[in-house]
Structures are given as structure tokens and as C-alpha cells.
Amino acid sequence: MTIMAKKEQDIFTWKSEFSEIYLSLLRMQEVKDKAYGNSALKPLEIFAKHHNYGSRLDEKLARIKNCDELKKNDVADLIGGLVLICKDKGWTNFDDLID
């Protein structure tokens, strides 16, 4: 193989690797856009206006809203996020809410 052919092969490999990366990122972005809708640019602002972690919960709610099926991971993410907010607010006892 000549030096020129080797350089051309290296350039092709380099371009191929970048193409693979970009196409993979594109597929990921398409899936996330379908799942989350436009929540990054137009957030739901349900929890975000009340707590710093709220925007993460809003993203999770948008993912649930835009999905055909509720997933265990969605529920676990919401529960975990809400528990973090309770801990931050000092809401450790809920006995007053028992009827």
C-alpha cells in the first residue's frame, strides 16, 4: 500500500467514525425528542416554579405524557425526585395527612 493510499484509507476511517458517532447521536436525539416532547425548550413548569429540582420532575412528567406506556422507571424517577424535595423541605413526617 502506498503512502497516499494509506492516507486516503485513514481519512475514510476517520470520516466513517465521525459519521457513526453523528448518526448514533441523531438516533438518540430523535428517540428523546419523541419521549420528552419539547420539554427542554418549553418546559411544563409544574414543579420547576416551586423547587430547584422541579425542572427534572417536569422533564419526567413530559416523558410520561409523550409515551404510550407508563414504565416502572418513570414512576421510580418521580418517587425519587419527590422524596428528594421532601427531604430538602424538611417534610419527614406525614402523620398530619392521615384521615
Side-chain angles (χ1 to χ4, degrees):
M1 179 179 295
T2 67
I3 293 175
M4 189 61 163
K6 174 71 172 128
K7 284 185 179 183
E8 288 175 2
Q9 183 181 357
D10 289 347
I11 290 170
F12 176 77
T13 301
W14 179 75
K15 285 183 179 180
S16 177
E17 289 170 349
F18 276 101
S19 295
E20 185 178 342
I21 292 167
Y22 285 126
L23 289 173
S24 180
L25 288 168
L26 176 64
R27 286 190 303 273
M28 180 198 68
Q29 188 64 45
E30 287 173 341
V31 169
K32 288 194 176 274
D33 190 54
K34 182 180 178 196
Y36 289 93
N38 201 14
S39 65
L41 301 176
K42 292 185 179 180
L44 297 177
E45 294 291 329
I46 296 169
F47 285 98
K49 64 183 179 182
H50 300 290
H51 194 273
N52 292 340
Y53 189 76
S55 61
R56 297 285 297 141
L57 289 174
D58 288 346
E59 289 173 1
K60 293 171 191 319
L61 289 171
R63 181 177 70 202
I64 292 167
K65 179 182 173 192
N66 291 302
C67 190
D68 294 332
E69 176 186 348
L70 182 63
K71 297 177 185 131
K72 184 164 115 177
N73 182 51
D74 298 330
V75 174
D77 283 349
L78 283 175
I79 291 169
L82 291 169
V83 168
L84 286 173
I85 290 175
C86 288
K87 181 180 177 290
D88 183 56
K89 295 274 193 184
W91 299 338
T92 57
N93 186 309
F94 295 87
D95 290 347
D96 59 317
L97 302 178
I98 297 173
D99 291 335

